[in-house]
Amino acid sequence: MSAWVEVCAVDDIDREDVVPFEHLGCQYAIYCSPDGTFYATDGLCTHERAVLADGLVMDHIIECPKHNGRFDYRTGEGKGAPIRVNLRTYPVKIDQHIVSIEID
Amino acid sequence: MRPKRDYSLIGDDSRRAVALGLSQADWYRTPIPRKRMKELMHRRNGPAIRDTALWLGLLVIFGGLGVYLWFSVWSLLCFAAYGVLYGSASDARWHECGHGTAFKTRWMNTVIYNLACFMIMRDPTVWRWSHARHHTDTVIVGRDPEIIAMRPPKLWHIAANFIGLFDVPLAFKHMAIHASGRLTVEEATFVPGTERAKTYWTARVWLLIYAAVVVTCVVSGSVLPAMVIGLPRMYGAWHHLMTGLTQHCGLADDVTDHRLNSRTVYMNPISRFVYWNMNYHVEHHMFPMVPFHALPALHEEIKDDLPAPAASIAAAFREFVPAMLRQRADPEYYVHREVFGTATAVTTSG
């Protein structure tokens, strides 16, 4: 059963940036794209589980800080070596300037 | 006393490293505010385009003069410079473009990566995965495929590679294996099945190119074609080995703190151009997302948390050569590094 979980205020994330979020022992990455849209994915790289929030956001790509693996954070799609498994994504909503994600 | 180190990626020390948690471990990183880190990671095309234009321009000039003036002392001097640009600068270009950090534009990284791989005779796919492992398990015995100086070190082997005497024949052996549609047993431990066909086809194309060079030499009765393609990987290799040896030699193995197993070295501007700032090696390993052009700034940011850099290439050699000589009889010996501040180093050997 899924539930919406509050993450942070919209102002807590710069545009074209990412912040980490932990909930019940699971790690997530919350993104704000260059046009101000928010997205959420699993927080660890599928390659070797580095923390993606330490990585670099460029347009709609998050690049892993450890081996420079790249994902499209809107879809979770891996963009080539060393990524072989896509990232899981989560629905995001904004309510009264609060960012929430829907978690199973 | 630890048993003889097994550097094979499928041997006892590989299993030992996994059992001890040394593989895919959490490595120490100096804390840097996110805002500053983003500035340091920022991608730009300008510095790499400038350096690449200079690199390729110098290759054309020195290579062209070498051919034009062949055979004379002047041509040999031109090829000496051409060789370093071909057989050593390609090492740094392969490395930086493999990380995808040299250029902001992806296709530029890809083009220079593949060109540099050809020059340095490293399969683009195998070495991309090999280097990922090197960053995951830096100088972890049995896990890191890119350890140059093992313990005890084979000094004659290292010395011979200043002109590629082992590396180049090995590269051709691997090309032959790959061209036959296989990987080595060790390569198969880190290259996924879906990536392997690229390696096989690359090897076939490269072997055709080298066969064409040999045929051209035979037909023309001159070694000149090979002086331009192939041989510079040997006569120009000395600089990349000289700088590469400074990275980790003589330092700790099986630790999870790059300050203990990597070395930053202050270098002259020419070597830094050839080496693309990889002399800031602790910094690079700690933050591989930072492009070569931002490494000096990263160094300034975190140097107070790092061991003192070697003052020069010669100073680095003065540190690790005696250590390697001692390791011939005492493989447990290594150069200890003082770490401080927020250090949480984990050591399991030495």
Side-chain angles (χ1 to χ4, degrees), chain A residues 41-91:
Chain A
T41 69
D42 275 335
L44 301 179
C45 180
T46 60
H47 174 225
E48 288 190 353
R49 304 188 63 74
V51 176
L52 288 172
D54 289 337
L56 180 63
V57 177
M58 291 172 289
D59 294 327
H60 295 105
I61 296 292
I62 174 67
E63 194 168 293
C64 173
K66 196 162 189 177
H67 300 106
N68 308 78
R70 295 154 59 90
F71 300 92
D72 185 327
Y73 56 77
R74 297 170 299 180
T75 61
E77 181 190 2
K79 308 297 276 185
I83 303 304
R84 299 165 63 203
V85 178
N86 293 340
L87 269 179
R88 185 175 176 188
T89 60
Y90 299 89

Short mmCIF file of all heavy atoms in Angstrom, two decimals, chain A residues 41-91:
data_model
loop_
_atom_site.label_atom_id
_atom_site.label_comp_id
_atom_site.label_asym_id
_atom_site.label_seq_id
_atom_site.Cartn_x
_atom_site.Cartn_y
_atom_site.Cartn_z
N THR A 41 13.62 9.61 -7.43
CA THR A 41 14.08 8.26 -7.79
C THR A 41 14.64 7.60 -6.54
O THR A 41 14.78 8.24 -5.50
CB THR A 41 15.23 8.31 -8.84
OG1 THR A 41 16.40 8.84 -8.20
CG2 THR A 41 14.87 9.16 -10.04
N ASP A 42 15.00 6.33 -6.69
CA ASP A 42 15.78 5.70 -5.63
C ASP A 42 17.04 6.53 -5.40
O ASP A 42 17.57 7.16 -6.33
CB ASP A 42 16.17 4.27 -6.03
CG ASP A 42 15.08 3.27 -5.69
OD1 ASP A 42 14.28 3.55 -4.78
OD2 ASP A 42 15.02 2.21 -6.35
N GLY A 43 17.55 6.47 -4.18
CA GLY A 43 18.67 7.34 -3.84
C GLY A 43 20.04 6.77 -4.13
O GLY A 43 21.03 7.50 -4.08
N LEU A 44 20.11 5.48 -4.44
CA LEU A 44 21.41 4.85 -4.66
C LEU A 44 21.55 4.40 -6.11
O LEU A 44 20.59 3.89 -6.71
CB LEU A 44 21.59 3.65 -3.73
CG LEU A 44 21.49 3.95 -2.23
CD1 LEU A 44 21.67 2.66 -1.42
CD2 LEU A 44 22.53 4.99 -1.80
N CYS A 45 22.73 4.57 -6.66
CA CYS A 45 23.01 4.16 -8.03
C CYS A 45 22.82 2.65 -8.16
O CYS A 45 23.19 1.88 -7.26
CB CYS A 45 24.44 4.54 -8.39
SG CYS A 45 24.92 4.08 -10.07
N THR A 46 22.25 2.22 -9.27
CA THR A 46 22.03 0.78 -9.48
C THR A 46 23.33 0.04 -9.81
O THR A 46 23.35 -1.18 -9.83
CB THR A 46 21.04 0.55 -10.62
OG1 THR A 46 21.58 1.13 -11.82
CG2 THR A 46 19.68 1.16 -10.31
N HIS A 47 24.39 0.79 -10.10
CA HIS A 47 25.67 0.15 -10.44
C HIS A 47 26.37 -0.33 -9.17
O HIS A 47 26.53 -1.53 -8.97
CB HIS A 47 26.55 1.12 -11.23
CG HIS A 47 27.92 0.61 -11.50
ND1 HIS A 47 29.04 1.39 -11.34
CD2 HIS A 47 28.38 -0.59 -11.92
CE1 HIS A 47 30.11 0.69 -11.64
NE2 HIS A 47 29.75 -0.52 -12.01
N GLU A 48 26.76 0.60 -8.30
CA GLU A 48 27.44 0.18 -7.07
C GLU A 48 26.94 0.96 -5.86
O GLU A 48 27.69 1.21 -4.92
CB GLU A 48 28.95 0.28 -7.23
CG GLU A 48 29.47 -0.81 -8.16
CD GLU A 48 30.97 -0.92 -8.17
OE1 GLU A 48 31.64 -0.08 -7.57
OE2 GLU A 48 31.47 -1.85 -8.82
N ARG A 49 25.71 1.39 -5.92
CA ARG A 49 25.00 1.91 -4.75
C ARG A 49 25.65 3.16 -4.14
O ARG A 49 25.58 3.36 -2.92
CB ARG A 49 24.82 0.81 -3.68
CG ARG A 49 24.12 -0.42 -4.23
CD ARG A 49 23.76 -1.43 -3.18
NE ARG A 49 22.82 -0.93 -2.20
CZ ARG A 49 21.52 -0.73 -2.41
NH1 ARG A 49 21.00 -0.96 -3.58
NH2 ARG A 49 20.75 -0.29 -1.43
N ALA A 50 26.25 4.00 -4.98
CA ALA A 50 26.72 5.30 -4.50
C ALA A 50 25.51 6.22 -4.31
O ALA A 50 24.47 6.04 -4.95
CB ALA A 50 27.70 5.91 -5.50
N VAL A 51 25.67 7.20 -3.44
CA VAL A 51 24.57 8.13 -3.15
C VAL A 51 24.44 9.13 -4.30
O VAL A 51 25.32 9.96 -4.54
CB VAL A 51 24.83 8.87 -1.82
CG1 VAL A 51 23.74 9.91 -1.56
CG2 VAL A 51 24.91 7.87 -0.67
N LEU A 52 23.33 9.06 -5.00
CA LEU A 52 23.16 9.90 -6.20
C LEU A 52 23.08 11.38 -5.85
O LEU A 52 23.42 12.23 -6.68
CB LEU A 52 21.90 9.47 -6.96
CG LEU A 52 22.03 8.13 -7.68
CD1 LEU A 52 20.67 7.71 -8.24
CD2 LEU A 52 23.05 8.20 -8.80
N ALA A 53 22.62 11.69 -4.66
CA ALA A 53 22.49 13.11 -4.29
C ALA A 53 23.85 13.80 -4.17
O ALA A 53 23.92 15.02 -4.07
CB ALA A 53 21.73 13.24 -2.99
N ASP A 54 24.94 13.02 -4.17
CA ASP A 54 26.29 13.61 -4.22
C ASP A 54 26.73 13.86 -5.65
O ASP A 54 27.84 14.35 -5.88
CB ASP A 54 27.31 12.67 -3.55
CG ASP A 54 27.12 12.61 -2.04
OD1 ASP A 54 26.56 13.56 -1.47
OD2 ASP A 54 27.54 11.60 -1.44
N GLY A 55 25.89 13.48 -6.61
CA GLY A 55 26.27 13.58 -8.01
C GLY A 55 25.90 14.92 -8.62
O GLY A 55 25.55 15.88 -7.92
N LEU A 56 26.00 14.96 -9.94
CA LEU A 56 25.81 16.21 -10.68
C LEU A 56 24.56 16.12 -11.54
O LEU A 56 24.39 15.16 -12.30
CB LEU A 56 27.04 16.46 -11.57
CG LEU A 56 27.05 17.73 -12.41
CD1 LEU A 56 27.04 18.97 -11.53
CD2 LEU A 56 28.27 17.74 -13.33
N VAL A 57 23.69 17.13 -11.40
CA VAL A 57 22.50 17.21 -12.27
C VAL A 57 22.82 18.13 -13.43
O VAL A 57 23.27 19.27 -13.23
CB VAL A 57 21.29 17.75 -11.47
CG1 VAL A 57 20.08 17.88 -12.39
CG2 VAL A 57 20.96 16.82 -10.31
N MET A 58 22.61 17.59 -14.64
CA MET A 58 22.80 18.40 -15.85
C MET A 58 21.56 18.21 -16.70
O MET A 58 21.30 17.10 -17.18
CB MET A 58 24.03 17.94 -16.62
CG MET A 58 25.34 18.24 -15.90
SD MET A 58 26.76 17.48 -16.71
CE MET A 58 26.48 15.76 -16.31
N ASP A 59 20.79 19.28 -16.85
CA ASP A 59 19.48 19.19 -17.52
C ASP A 59 18.65 18.11 -16.83
O ASP A 59 18.36 18.23 -15.67
CB ASP A 59 19.65 18.93 -19.03
CG ASP A 59 20.30 20.11 -19.71
OD1 ASP A 59 20.07 21.25 -19.27
OD2 ASP A 59 21.06 19.90 -20.67
N HIS A 60 18.34 17.04 -17.57
CA HIS A 60 17.50 16.00 -16.97
C HIS A 60 18.29 14.72 -16.66
O HIS A 60 17.75 13.63 -16.59
CB HIS A 60 16.31 15.69 -17.89
CG HIS A 60 15.39 16.85 -18.03
ND1 HIS A 60 15.34 17.62 -19.17
CD2 HIS A 60 14.52 17.41 -17.15
CE1 HIS A 60 14.46 18.59 -18.99
NE2 HIS A 60 13.95 18.49 -17.79
N ILE A 61 19.59 14.91 -16.52
CA ILE A 61 20.48 13.77 -16.24
C ILE A 61 21.06 13.90 -14.82
O ILE A 61 21.48 14.99 -14.43
CB ILE A 61 21.64 13.72 -17.26
CG1 ILE A 61 21.11 13.47 -18.67
CG2 ILE A 61 22.68 12.68 -16.86
CD1 ILE A 61 20.51 12.10 -18.88
N ILE A 62 21.06 12.80 -14.10
CA ILE A 62 21.83 12.74 -12.84
C ILE A 62 23.04 11.85 -13.11
O ILE A 62 22.90 10.75 -13.64
CB ILE A 62 21.01 12.21 -11.65
CG1 ILE A 62 21.87 12.03 -10.38
CG2 ILE A 62 20.31 10.88 -11.99
CD1 ILE A 62 22.39 13.28 -9.79
N GLU A 63 24.21 12.36 -12.77
CA GLU A 63 25.43 11.58 -12.99
C GLU A 63 25.94 11.12 -11.64
O GLU A 63 26.13 11.93 -10.72
CB GLU A 63 26.46 12.45 -13.70
CG GLU A 63 27.61 11.63 -14.26
CD GLU A 63 28.46 12.45 -15.22
OE1 GLU A 63 27.98 12.81 -16.30
OE2 GLU A 63 29.62 12.72 -14.86
N CYS A 64 26.18 9.83 -11.52
CA CYS A 64 26.63 9.23 -10.27
C CYS A 64 28.02 9.74 -9.89
O CYS A 64 28.89 9.86 -10.76
CB CYS A 64 26.65 7.71 -10.41
SG CYS A 64 27.37 6.88 -8.98
N PRO A 65 28.24 10.06 -8.62
CA PRO A 65 29.54 10.63 -8.23
C PRO A 65 30.69 9.64 -8.25
O PRO A 65 31.85 10.02 -8.18
CB PRO A 65 29.29 11.12 -6.80
CG PRO A 65 28.20 10.24 -6.29
CD PRO A 65 27.32 9.96 -7.48
N LYS A 66 30.39 8.34 -8.33
CA LYS A 66 31.47 7.36 -8.19
C LYS A 66 32.07 6.95 -9.53
O LYS A 66 33.28 6.96 -9.71
CB LYS A 66 30.95 6.13 -7.45
CG LYS A 66 32.04 5.24 -6.91
CD LYS A 66 31.52 4.32 -5.84
CE LYS A 66 32.65 3.58 -5.16
NZ LYS A 66 32.17 2.72 -4.08
N HIS A 67 31.22 6.56 -10.48
CA HIS A 67 31.73 6.11 -11.77
C HIS A 67 31.14 6.87 -12.93
O HIS A 67 31.22 6.43 -14.08
CB HIS A 67 31.45 4.62 -11.97
CG HIS A 67 32.08 3.75 -10.92
ND1 HIS A 67 31.36 3.17 -9.93
CD2 HIS A 67 33.37 3.40 -10.71
CE1 HIS A 67 32.17 2.48 -9.15
NE2 HIS A 67 33.39 2.60 -9.59
N ASN A 68 30.48 7.98 -12.65
CA ASN A 68 29.92 8.82 -13.69
C ASN A 68 28.83 8.13 -14.51
O ASN A 68 28.59 8.50 -15.66
CB ASN A 68 31.02 9.36 -14.62
CG ASN A 68 32.14 10.02 -13.84
OD1 ASN A 68 32.98 9.32 -13.29
ND2 ASN A 68 32.15 11.32 -13.77
N GLY A 69 28.20 7.12 -13.94
CA GLY A 69 27.03 6.53 -14.60
C GLY A 69 25.91 7.55 -14.66
O GLY A 69 25.75 8.38 -13.77
N ARG A 70 25.12 7.52 -15.75
CA ARG A 70 24.12 8.56 -15.98
C ARG A 70 22.72 7.97 -16.09
O ARG A 70 22.53 6.91 -16.71
CB ARG A 70 24.47 9.32 -17.26
CG ARG A 70 25.78 10.09 -17.17
CD ARG A 70 26.42 10.28 -18.53
NE ARG A 70 25.57 10.99 -19.45
CZ ARG A 70 25.55 12.31 -19.60
NH1 ARG A 70 26.36 13.06 -18.91
NH2 ARG A 70 24.75 12.88 -20.47
N PHE A 71 21.78 8.68 -15.50
CA PHE A 71 20.36 8.31 -15.60
C PHE A 71 19.55 9.54 -16.00
O PHE A 71 19.89 10.66 -15.61
CB PHE A 71 19.81 7.85 -14.25
CG PHE A 71 20.49 6.66 -13.64
CD1 PHE A 71 21.55 6.82 -12.76
CD2 PHE A 71 20.04 5.37 -13.91
CE1 PHE A 71 22.16 5.74 -12.18
CE2 PHE A 71 20.65 4.27 -13.33
CZ PHE A 71 21.71 4.46 -12.45
N ASP A 72 18.47 9.31 -16.74
CA ASP A 72 17.46 10.34 -16.92
C ASP A 72 16.55 10.23 -15.70
O ASP A 72 15.82 9.25 -15.54
CB ASP A 72 16.67 10.09 -18.21
CG ASP A 72 15.67 11.21 -18.49
OD1 ASP A 72 15.13 11.79 -17.53
OD2 ASP A 72 15.42 11.49 -19.68
N TYR A 73 16.59 11.24 -14.83
CA TYR A 73 15.85 11.11 -13.57
C TYR A 73 14.34 11.25 -13.75
O TYR A 73 13.58 10.99 -12.84
CB TYR A 73 16.38 12.10 -12.52
CG TYR A 73 16.37 13.56 -12.90
CD1 TYR A 73 15.18 14.30 -12.88
CD2 TYR A 73 17.54 14.22 -13.26
CE1 TYR A 73 15.17 15.65 -13.21
CE2 TYR A 73 17.54 15.55 -13.60
CZ TYR A 73 16.35 16.27 -13.58
OH TYR A 73 16.35 17.60 -13.93
N ARG A 74 13.91 11.66 -14.95
CA ARG A 74 12.46 11.74 -15.18
C ARG A 74 11.88 10.34 -15.37
O ARG A 74 10.75 10.06 -14.97
CB ARG A 74 12.17 12.58 -16.43
CG ARG A 74 12.60 14.02 -16.31
CD ARG A 74 12.51 14.74 -17.63
NE ARG A 74 13.37 14.13 -18.64
CZ ARG A 74 13.48 14.55 -19.88
NH1 ARG A 74 12.78 15.58 -20.30
NH2 ARG A 74 14.31 13.95 -20.73
N THR A 75 12.67 9.46 -15.99
CA THR A 75 12.18 8.11 -16.30
C THR A 75 12.95 7.03 -15.55
O THR A 75 12.50 5.88 -15.51
CB THR A 75 12.33 7.84 -17.80
OG1 THR A 75 13.74 7.92 -18.13
CG2 THR A 75 11.57 8.88 -18.62
N GLY A 76 14.12 7.38 -15.04
CA GLY A 76 14.99 6.40 -14.39
C GLY A 76 15.87 5.63 -15.37
O GLY A 76 16.64 4.76 -14.95
N GLU A 77 15.76 5.96 -16.65
CA GLU A 77 16.49 5.19 -17.66
C GLU A 77 18.00 5.39 -17.55
O GLU A 77 18.48 6.53 -17.54
CB GLU A 77 16.03 5.61 -19.06
CG GLU A 77 16.72 4.84 -20.17
CD GLU A 77 16.43 5.45 -21.54
OE1 GLU A 77 15.73 6.48 -21.61
OE2 GLU A 77 16.93 4.89 -22.53
N GLY A 78 18.76 4.29 -17.50
CA GLY A 78 20.21 4.36 -17.53
C GLY A 78 20.68 4.74 -18.92
O GLY A 78 20.08 4.33 -19.92
N LYS A 79 21.74 5.54 -18.97
CA LYS A 79 22.19 6.06 -20.26
C LYS A 79 23.54 5.49 -20.67
O LYS A 79 24.41 6.20 -21.16
CB LYS A 79 22.26 7.59 -20.23
CG LYS A 79 20.99 8.27 -19.74
CD LYS A 79 19.80 8.02 -20.65
CE LYS A 79 19.75 8.97 -21.81
NZ LYS A 79 18.53 8.79 -22.61
N GLY A 80 23.74 4.20 -20.46
CA GLY A 80 24.96 3.56 -20.94
C GLY A 80 25.90 3.17 -19.82
O GLY A 80 25.63 3.41 -18.64
N ALA A 81 27.04 2.54 -20.20
CA ALA A 81 28.00 1.99 -19.25
C ALA A 81 28.44 3.05 -18.25
O ALA A 81 28.63 4.21 -18.64
CB ALA A 81 29.22 1.45 -19.99
N PRO A 82 28.62 2.69 -16.97
CA PRO A 82 28.49 1.32 -16.43
C PRO A 82 27.09 0.98 -15.93
O PRO A 82 26.95 0.03 -15.17
CB PRO A 82 29.49 1.36 -15.26
CG PRO A 82 29.38 2.76 -14.74
CD PRO A 82 29.15 3.62 -15.96
N ILE A 83 26.09 1.73 -16.34
CA ILE A 83 24.73 1.47 -15.86
C ILE A 83 24.07 0.37 -16.70
O ILE A 83 24.04 0.45 -17.93
CB ILE A 83 23.88 2.75 -15.93
CG1 ILE A 83 24.54 3.88 -15.13
CG2 ILE A 83 22.47 2.47 -15.41
CD1 ILE A 83 24.84 3.54 -13.69
N ARG A 84 23.55 -0.64 -16.02
CA ARG A 84 22.86 -1.72 -16.71
C ARG A 84 21.44 -1.89 -16.22
O ARG A 84 20.64 -2.60 -16.82
CB ARG A 84 23.63 -3.03 -16.51
CG ARG A 84 25.03 -2.97 -17.07
CD ARG A 84 25.86 -4.12 -16.54
NE ARG A 84 25.34 -5.41 -16.95
CZ ARG A 84 25.58 -6.54 -16.32
NH1 ARG A 84 26.31 -6.54 -15.23
NH2 ARG A 84 25.07 -7.68 -16.75
N VAL A 85 21.11 -1.29 -15.06
CA VAL A 85 19.78 -1.41 -14.48
C VAL A 85 19.22 -0.01 -14.28
O VAL A 85 19.89 0.87 -13.72
CB VAL A 85 19.82 -2.15 -13.12
CG1 VAL A 85 18.44 -2.24 -12.50
CG2 VAL A 85 20.43 -3.54 -13.30
N ASN A 86 17.98 0.20 -14.74
CA ASN A 86 17.38 1.53 -14.60
C ASN A 86 17.06 1.84 -13.14
O ASN A 86 16.93 0.94 -12.31
CB ASN A 86 16.09 1.60 -15.42
CG ASN A 86 16.38 1.51 -16.92
OD1 ASN A 86 17.50 1.76 -17.35
ND2 ASN A 86 15.37 1.15 -17.69
N LEU A 87 16.89 3.12 -12.86
CA LEU A 87 16.50 3.57 -11.53
C LEU A 87 14.98 3.49 -11.39
O LEU A 87 14.25 3.74 -12.35
CB LEU A 87 16.87 5.04 -11.33
CG LEU A 87 18.20 5.44 -10.73
CD1 LEU A 87 18.27 6.96 -10.69
CD2 LEU A 87 18.40 4.85 -9.35
N ARG A 88 14.51 3.22 -10.19
CA ARG A 88 13.08 3.29 -9.94
C ARG A 88 12.70 4.76 -9.70
O ARG A 88 13.43 5.49 -9.01
CB ARG A 88 12.72 2.44 -8.72
CG ARG A 88 11.24 2.40 -8.49
CD ARG A 88 10.86 1.47 -7.37
NE ARG A 88 9.42 1.55 -7.13
CZ ARG A 88 8.79 0.97 -6.12
NH1 ARG A 88 9.48 0.25 -5.27
NH2 ARG A 88 7.49 1.11 -5.98
N THR A 89 11.59 5.15 -10.24
CA THR A 89 11.10 6.52 -10.02
C THR A 89 9.85 6.50 -9.16
O THR A 89 9.20 5.45 -9.03
CB THR A 89 10.78 7.22 -11.35
OG1 THR A 89 9.77 6.46 -12.03
CG2 THR A 89 12.01 7.32 -12.23
N TYR A 90 9.51 7.65 -8.58
CA TYR A 90 8.35 7.76 -7.69
C TYR A 90 7.54 9.00 -8.06
O TYR A 90 8.13 10.04 -8.43
CB TYR A 90 8.82 7.88 -6.22
CG TYR A 90 9.60 6.67 -5.77
CD1 TYR A 90 10.98 6.61 -5.95
CD2 TYR A 90 8.96 5.57 -5.19
CE1 TYR A 90 11.71 5.49 -5.57
CE2 TYR A 90 9.68 4.46 -4.81
CZ TYR A 90 11.05 4.42 -4.98
OH TYR A 90 11.77 3.31 -4.61
N PRO A 91 6.23 8.91 -7.90
CA PRO A 91 5.39 10.10 -8.15
C PRO A 91 5.70 11.20 -7.14
O PRO A 91 6.02 10.93 -5.99
CB PRO A 91 3.96 9.57 -7.96
CG PRO A 91 4.06 8.08 -8.12
CD PRO A 91 5.42 7.71 -7.61
#
